Amino acid sequence: MKYSKIIGTGAYLPSKILSNKDLEKIFDTSDEWIQTRTGISQRHIIGENERTSDLAYQAALDVLKNSSIDPAEIDLILVATTTPDKVFPSVACAVQRKLNIKNIPAFDIQAVCSGFIFALTTADSFIKSGTYKKILVIGADSMSSITDYKDRSNAILWGDGAGAVILSASNEPGIIRNIIHSNGEYEELLHVPRKSETNDPNTIEMQGNAVFKIAVNTLDQIVDETLSGSGFEKKDIDWLVPHQANIRILQATAKKLEMSMDKVIVTIDKHGNTSAASIPLALNEGIRSNRVKAGNLILMEAFGGGFTWGSSLIRI
Ligand code: COA
């Protein structure tokens, strides 16, 4: 079998909701400002005793159920996350323990908001090399745990959640093309510094305006790079399933693709930016809502801290 294919999706969102109205009580902002600038009206937030591995585990149970796969069939667990429960061990090892799967490799991938694309690319390579046949790929983040709720231009963006897929060896494509890139030059524009000496919590620091401009330009380029030499054109793409950072970034990418917004799976209004979880959550939403159908051509793309960015062109 020379291809890899997503054979199921799953998702989990914590039950607690933080709305724009709730944020109005924390700092000087308005529902109208947040919706206009970002497209976000609410986000899901972990409960007091919930951690990223709990979200990841629930998404894993959902994808296993939806694809009728027994945990014993899984050869590898990959979790894309920036908010692990602990410095170590990995969230992937925690998921393995919770699923009671023994003696398979499990590890995390850290590429912030592009993490799911990086994890899917890694999984695709393992399958195409013949090493593994079924890989559980999860994107899970608890961004609220690294959000400074005193920083109004930043705290409005982030949410928590997890999405998962099973990538399987297949006789038909599947994953057509993956592209991943990194550039460490702009670290200071979007990062979480360690502040252990001052005992301050480690929280996201971001120059939102600069990140916005670089993200739009970079995603513009990745559209061309993905399609060039792929054998497909813009008009062939049925659905854009993008990382959900800001509705205006999504609109810019749709415009580049000459695509109307009803061909874009949008979850940012309800989820906010859930970092590595946002693409698998959106893919699951597209499938569960009967918009994304078997045989559709899908472009997934992401940009995030690092900077990192990437895309996957897939046939679902
Ligand atoms: N409510 C009300 N006003 C706010 C506000 C809030 N939550 N946050 C900022 N403002 C104010 C600012 O103080 C500023 O006021 P001033 O003009 O009086 O100085 C004004 O709104 C404009 O601020 P600015 O930061 O330029 O806004 P913006 O249009 O760039 O929107 C972001 C801010 C964060 C929404 C936007 O830059 C963004 O989404 N960037 C991309 C971030 C991102 O996606 N990061 C993750 C990548 S994966």
Side-chain angles (χ1 to χ4, degrees), residues 120-132:
L120 195 67
T121 302
T122 307
D124 181 48
S125 304
F126 272 123
I127 286 181
K128 285 186 178 146
S129 69
T131 312
Y132 300 120

Side-chain angles (χ1 to χ4, degrees), residues 27-30 33-34 37-38 113 152-154 156-158 190 206 208-209 211-212 243 245-246 248-249 273 303-305:
F27 44 66
D28 181 16
T29 192
S30 69
W33 192 96
I34 301 171
R37 300 285 176 121
T38 68
C113 296
R152 66 174 183 171
S153 64
N154 192 333
I156 53 171
L157 297 174
W158 308 101
L190 177 55
M206 180 179 70
N209 227 304
V211 173
F212 186 94
H243 167 54
N246 182 316
R248 292 183 289 138
I249 299 179
N273 182 344
F303 177 88

Side-chain angles (χ1 to χ4, degrees), residues 22-287:
D22 295 329
L23 289 178
E24 285 178 4
K25 294 176 202 140
I26 302 176
F27 44 66
D28 181 16
T29 192
S30 69
D31 176 44
E32 199 257 332
W33 192 96
I34 301 171
Q35 293 221 33
T36 310
R37 300 285 176 121
T38 68
I40 301 168
S41 59
Q42 63 162 56
R43 28 352 254 124
H44 292 252
I45 299 290
I46 45 167
E48 217 163 284
N49 297 317
E50 235 169 352
R51 297 289 176 269
T52 300
S53 71
D54 301 313
L55 311 184
Y57 172 58
Q58 291 301 330
L61 291 180
D62 196 42
V63 71
L64 289 166
K65 183 183 77 188
N66 292 339
S67 45
S68 305
I69 296 284
D70 190 277
E73 294 176 60
I74 300 294
D75 302 313
L76 167 68
I77 301 172
L78 294 178
V79 178
T81 188
T82 307
T83 49
D85 307 10
K86 302 182 175 187
V87 173
F88 70 83
S90 66
V91 174
C93 282
V95 171
Q96 181 189 32
R97 182 187 73 242
K98 290 172 196 235
L99 287 173
N100 198 22
I101 311 176
K102 303 231 175 357
N103 293 325
I104 61 160
F107 59 93
D108 287 359
I109 288 183
Q110 212 272 41
V112 202
C113 296
S114 312
F116 181 74
I117 298 289
F118 278 60
L120 195 67
T121 302
T122 307
D124 181 48
S125 304
F126 272 123
I127 286 181
K128 285 186 178 146
S129 69
T131 312
Y132 300 120
K133 288 199 166 54
K134 282 196 176 49
I135 303 181
L136 172 60
V137 185
I138 305 172
D141 267 309
S142 311
M143 299 307 280
S144 66
S145 68
I146 54 167
T147 295
D148 176 1
Y149 286 98
K150 292 188 291 302
D151 179 357
R152 66 174 183 171
S153 64
N154 192 333
I156 53 171
L157 297 174
W158 308 101
D160 304 339
V165 303
I166 305 278
L167 196 69
S168 172
S170 164
N171 287 319
E172 54 178 47
I175 294 200
I176 295 161
R177 180 166 226 193
N178 295 310
I179 292 170
I180 52 172
H181 291 290
S182 304
N183 180 352
E185 267 180 84
Y186 299 101
E187 181 184 319
E188 303 300 319
L189 295 184
L190 177 55
H191 65 142
V192 179
R194 274 197 197 275
K195 292 183 180 166
S196 47
E197 283 162 24
T198 61
N199 274 336
D200 284 344
N202 302 316
T203 51
I204 303 165
E205 293 181 9
M206 180 179 70
Q207 294 179 34
N209 227 304
V211 173
F212 186 94
K213 286 180 194 141
I214 298 173
V216 169
N217 287 336
T218 307
L219 292 170
D220 239 36
Q221 288 162 26
I222 203 125
V223 165
D224 289 333
E225 190 183 351
T226 312
L227 290 174
S228 151
S230 70
F232 294 100
E233 299 174 33
K234 290 175 182 173
K235 66 173 173 49
D236 298 322
I237 298 172
D238 296 300
W239 291 100
L240 176 63
V241 181
H243 167 54
Q244 315 276 321
N246 182 316
I247 191 72
R248 292 183 289 138
I249 299 179
L250 273 60
Q251 286 161 344
T253 310
K255 192 170 170 207
K256 170 76 182 171
L257 281 163
E258 294 158 21
M259 194 177 239
S260 81
M261 281 305 284
D262 30 299
K263 288 289 176 190
V264 182
I265 302 295
V266 177
T267 55
I268 184 140
D269 52 335
K270 291 178 293 176
H271 300 174
N273 182 344
T274 56
S275 196
S278 88
I279 291 180
L281 277 171
L283 182 62
N284 184 67
E285 171 93 11
I287 291 172

